[in-house]
Amino acid sequence: MPSASVYTVAVRALCEFTAKRGDLDLRFTPSPTGAEGVEGHGVVTARRGVGYQTEVALSGDWGPLRVRGRADGWDPVARRLEEIKTYRGDLAHVPDNHRQLHWAQARVYGALICHQLGLQQVALALVYYNIDTRQETVFTETGEAATLQAFFEEQCRHFAAWSAQETAHRAARDEALRALAFPMPAFRTGQRELAEAVYRAARAGRCLMAQAPTGIGKTVGTLFPLLRAMPPDASRAGSGLDKVFYLAAKTPGRQLALDALQSLRAGLPKAPLRVLELVARDKACEHPDKACHGESCPLARGFYDRLSAARQAAVDAAGAGLLARERVRAVALQHQVCPYYLAQELARWADAVVGDYNYWFDTSALLFALTQMDGWRVAVLVDEAHNLVERARSMYSAELEQGALRALRRSAAPVSPPLKRALDRLNRHWNALQREQRTPYAASQALPDAFVEALNRTLATLTDLQADQPALAGELALSGADLQRFYFDALHFARLAESFGPHSLFDITLRPGRAPLPERPAASTLCIRNLVPAPHLQPRLAAAQAVVLFSATLSPQAYHADLLGLPANTAWIDVPSPFTARQLSVGVARHISTRWADRSRSLAPIVDAIAGQFAARPGLYLAFFSSYDYLDQVFALLREQHPDLPCWEQQRQMPEAAREAFLARFMPGAQGVGFAVLGGAFAEGIDLPGERLIGAFIATLGLPQVNPVNEQIRARMEAVFVGRGYDYTYLYPGLQKVVQAAGRVIRSPVDEGVLVLMDDRFSRAEVRALLPAWWEARETGSEQFRE
Ligand code: SF4
């Protein structure tokens, strides 16, 4: 076992650090998926002879450095070591600096195997395998052991100063974290219980679901124990954490985590904790009109030549404060490198990373990929985890619009006949798919193989065309066609098609207004719709030492555990609410039915209830509805009947400034009712304590609309989770939205307020069972509810 002073580095990470030069160039991407890469390696190695070895574990030391990795292939008879790379398109378009990196890896492996087997010479082969054509191109060289050893030592020397710095940083960090004190004078009610459960999960290496109410300080309450769990325990081999990832569904959650880490960091002498914020490309990009390669973007040109200085400057800057978006940007611009890709590099060297769910759970998640490559021990915190089911479904779903394909075909005709031909072929397959369809929507449990094959062929053509004609996308853009967008959508679709299974369905939605006739095919949308994300998420859950999913609304536990694929030994904690029934008057207006058939009859009593409550206790309220249409109808009637009652409404696709203006009306001393939709921007993640919000009205149970898609989901849920089809599709997601929205009213132990649940179904036992235990709902008739 290496001692604490040994710094272990993967061959690939070492070479990426030492041997990458020149421009950042993403024209060669998208590269094959991980699954395609694995399959490609399998194809190549299966072609080799008897005795050929794969995944050969190799390691070697140089001073305090331990370099290790797995060589792709070794032929002991020919004494040939192979490094296999999969790719798409034209091999000539692999940038030189990528090839140099591949050779560096092969040479380091060559040195390690010569040393390990006592060889004087070895043959080195770079095998490039084309995923689409299934052909290999092989480059070879002969490596003398002494030359390879010199190369290996040169890489190690290059890395030595950095690894020494990292070793010292890690030691200082762990020592400081051992003494980390809780940053508040005392734990809040329930906060200690939560923190202890998180700590136990991290030490035991398991998942934890933590349902904990608003206001107990969940962010600090989960980060603090994980930081305390980072230093290894001297008595337990393989204990401790390399990194903590805090993943949020929305931007405000990220900011809360950064604030909490700031306060925790302030308690560490010399603050040796590197905290990094990852933001989306469109927020970090300095040249949104350019492409990510040196011929287009100045911050990509010579990126790797300047990266070393920028990386050191960023790490130095981390001592002075969080590596939040602005600080990373300042360092990047000072060194003239791209801030977005600099942040990605810094993820390797940060102790705590704050970012979106995508970075761990998505199909091409950066943090997940780095963790796998470098063998990190990480803990993953999933904030507002009730969002993960829907977010994961969308990550593993893909849509293709036929309208986009047709627009592209039209634009391609004068610009690129080969492109036009490829798109024509795909369009014919597409039309054939829907020729027999007589209903607007049809779902299937199987993928149309012929179409998927045609899509893959089209993708191969598009890859080659774009590589041969880099200006092609720009030329098409002049006529309004978005080749890149179509390409990436198609690629995502094709990749998800590879892992299609009972967790998803394939559906076709015909666009309205065009009756499908053989001579006049309708345009349609094709969708791979993920329903049960569990099979996709399980490898991600397994790759972390601990995953903590926390939220105020994780009930019913089984619903989330089933859909997310949590392991059977996942721990569960339900932290009791510090709030009391005295703080929140909950009324069920059971004289109102918000069922679809009763909607028009419900408008007047809803308006009466809102206006009556407001008259009895003027102040600031939120009124939630299940749809914009419903919201608009009630809003219009309230305005008509009570023109003096101040009210304002959430808009469809509200820009950020308008959202801020909506919230700005919730100021102490103000009065009125903000109308919003359940599940929307104002139904969770906003904090309006005290007088800023004294009550909420919730019309409907938030049940998703009954439509063909949801009915398909219900049927699939019923098949997979027998007896749970309706609950998993409608009831649980709906009530979760209700509880989230209602949670806006009481934000602290001193808040008091009113909640009016408008629908008779809130009286039912099965619905009541899904509401927080501390609520004491009273039924009201047509009389007003005016606590
Ligand atoms: S600045 Fe923008 S265009 Fe340039 S490399 Fe970065 S992300 Fe790409």
Side-chain angles (χ1 to χ4, degrees), residues 500-547:
F500 188 81
H503 49 70
S504 299
L505 58 84
F506 169 71
D507 60 36
I508 306 177
T509 307
L510 301 181
R511 293 295 106 210
R514 293 286 305 268
L517 299 170
E519 70 281 8
R520 194 184 64 186
S524 65
T525 302
L526 308 182
C527 183
I528 291 177
R529 195 179 299 279
N530 177 253
L531 311 180
V532 184
H536 294 295
L537 301 189
Q538 274 159 344
R540 273 133 170 92
L541 297 169
Q545 163 75 3
V547 178

Side-chain angles (χ1 to χ4, degrees), residues 24 281 285-287 290-292 297 300 338 341:
L24 179 85
R281 182 181 175 279
C285 177
E286 290 290 318
H287 296 286
K290 297 191 167 41
C292 303
C297 176
C338 165
Y341 290 104

